[in-house]
Amino acid sequence: MKDISNYSLLRHNTFGIKASCSRFVEFASVEEGLQVADLVRREDMPFLIIGGGSNLLLTRNFNGIVLRSAISDIAVQTFSNHSLVRVGSGMEWDGFVSWCIDHNLYGAENLSLIPGDVGASAVQNIGAYGAEACDIIDKVEAIRIADGKLVEICAEDCAYGYRQSRFKHEWKNRYLITHVVFRLSNDFSPRLDYGNLRAELQQQGIDQPTARQLRSVIIDVRRRKLPDPHVLGNAGSFFMNPVVGRAKYEQLHSEYPQMPHYSIDDQHEKIPAGWLIEQTGWKGRSMGRAGVHDKQALVLVNLGGATGAEVVALCNAVRHDVQQKFGITIEPEVNIV
């Protein structure tokens, strides 16, 4: 177990924000996690649980304990048509997706190249290209901080929704996630009807892709659209795509017939936040050292030396202009601390 005082968090946030914490504790097993839960109960200090830092914006030094899982084991139970894969919460998410394909286990391939750790996938309910983590999560194993008990939480009890879970709200800071159990298929059945996946595959002459080919195409698309955080600090998609009621959608559609949208149900439509932001003229613009990415308006970037406060100021300016133009409030997906 790592336990370090006055620790820099620079390499633990993909925005590249310079910030530190009073104490950094990393646990690499369930046993160490139990010790960490005991430490948190004994210490009269605020604490922050992080993963890979890909969904985190630090606006200040954290005067407390930062906790991180480094558990990275994998175990598989195989059944006739599916497998249950138990994965340590500290494993890199994309490494897990690659491992699944290498072992002929399917269901995670559309979530390729999403940054972060496995534990965060169960908190954030990550999603891309028509798939979400909750589609394949069977249960979450965790340590309840209040009493140090090991618990198993069924996916149905996590109240998963679009980038939402109870871990983000009423359960925030109540659990240390140690493992996530995924239910994966033993047979590959590709999801190709979201966005431009079919067109990308057809350009390569692929009609019936393998899981590895689908993963490769998704990685290519993401790399073209999203900046590399090692080059340009960012946290991926900064805003959630808003869901609006039928009346609001029809009003906007009459004004902007070219507006992209995705049907949620008979009464709701999802509108891409990136499109809304682009219509306000923010794409490629900056405020000080923070900017809106010139290839994907959904992404805010650190142009070099930006503070968390500068990124928040840009966020607020973008939200204001979207609200003024469309009457829609877009919400940050990123955890702002």
Side-chain angles (χ1 to χ4, degrees):
M1 183 168 67
K2 293 181 180 178
D3 189 345
I4 307 171
S5 298
N6 300 318
Y7 185 80
S8 171
L9 296 171
L10 180 60
R11 70 182 185 90
H12 292 284
N13 76 97
T14 59
F15 247 116
I17 302 294
K18 291 182 179 180
S20 62
C21 60
S22 302
R23 189 172 178 182
F24 178 81
V25 179
E26 186 176 84
F27 55 99
S29 66
V30 173
E31 293 71 26
E32 289 185 354
L34 291 168
Q35 295 175 39
V36 169
D38 181 63
L39 181 152
V40 169
R41 289 194 302 274
R42 287 187 285 105
E43 296 287 342
D44 185 23
M45 296 179 72
F47 64 93
L48 171 67
I49 303 168
I50 66 170
S54 59
N55 199 48
L56 178 66
L57 175 60
L58 297 167
T59 61
R60 55 184 170 81
N61 293 332
F62 187 72
N63 186 26
I65 307 172
V66 169
L67 311 175
R68 183 178 185 276
S69 169
I71 302 173
S72 58
D73 56 321
I74 296 184
V76 182
Q77 284 183 286
T78 303
F79 301 91
S80 58
N81 62 354
H82 74 278
S83 295
L84 294 178
V85 185
R86 179 177 183 262
V87 190
S89 55
M91 184 174 189
E92 180 199 20
W93 172 260
D94 193 56
F96 165 61
V97 177
S98 178
W99 183 94
C100 289
I101 293 174
D102 288 343
H103 291 80
N104 302 314
L105 297 169
Y106 308 111
E109 50 278 346
N110 284 43
L111 305 176
S112 291
L113 208 66
I114 294 179
D117 293 345
V118 164
S121 73
V123 175
Q124 184 69 12
N125 190 24
I126 59 174
Y129 298 102
E132 292 181 311
C134 67
D135 298 336
I136 54 175
I137 292 175
D138 183 76
K139 64 183 177 182
V140 178
E141 298 179 11
I143 299 166
R144 191 164 56 209
I145 294 173
D147 56 12
K149 298 293 185 183
L150 295 172
V151 297
E152 294 184 354
I153 306 170
C154 294
E156 292 79 8
D157 294 330
C158 296
Y160 285 121
Y162 173 58
R163 304 296 183 271
Q164 301 295 331
S165 76
R166 297 179 77 180
F167 293 109
K168 289 185 69 174
H169 299 289
E170 66 262 41
W171 290 350
K172 187 174 182 179
N173 287 341
R174 293 190 184 182
Y175 296 98
L176 294 177
I177 295 175
T178 61
H179 293 84
V180 182
V181 179
F182 296 94
R183 184 185 180 97
L184 299 172
S185 176
N186 298 336
D187 299 307
F188 179 53
S189 180
R191 298 187 188 187
L192 305 177
D193 293 327
Y194 191 92
N196 55 353
L197 284 183
R198 284 191 184 277
E200 290 284 340
L201 288 162
Q202 288 171 358
Q203 285 182 11
Q204 298 185 26
I206 301 171
D207 291 324
Q208 298 295 324
T210 65
R212 195 173 302 282
Q213 287 173 326
L214 178 56
R215 170 173 161 78
S216 178
V217 164
I218 288 172
I219 288 174
D220 288 345
V221 172
R222 289 184 66 89
R223 283 179 172 160
R224 286 202 304 269
K225 291 172 59 177
L226 302 173
D228 182 346
H230 294 102
V231 177
L232 200 61
N234 72 92
S237 299
F238 195 92
F239 299 100
M240 293 184 283
N241 294 319
V243 175
V244 301
R246 176 60 52 185
K248 180 65 177 179
Y249 162 72
E250 290 179 352
Q251 173 244 311
L252 288 173
H253 182 69
S254 67
E255 296 180 46
Y256 307 96
Q258 80 282 13
M259 179 181 69
H261 61 96
Y262 304 95
S263 294
I264 302 299
D265 54 40
D266 291 342
Q267 297 301 317
H268 299 90
E269 295 284 328
K270 183 188 294 184
I271 301 173
W275 182 86
L276 296 171
I277 295 167
E278 190 168 349
Q279 304 315 301
T280 65
W282 270 108
K283 186 176 182 180
R285 286 175 56 195
S286 61
M287 279 180 61
R289 296 173 292 184
V292 179
H293 189 44
D294 59 0
K295 292 185 176 65
Q296 171 52 270
L298 197 58
V299 179
L300 303 189
V301 295
N302 180 352
L303 297 172
T307 65
E310 287 176 295
V311 178
V312 169
L314 175 61
C315 162
N316 290 338
V318 169
R319 295 180 72 203
H320 173 271
D321 287 0
V322 170
Q323 175 66 41
Q324 288 291 106
K325 186 175 181 67
F326 296 102
I328 293 177
T329 300
I330 55 173
E331 300 291 346
E333 178 178 332
V334 171
N335 182 25
I336 300 173
V337 178

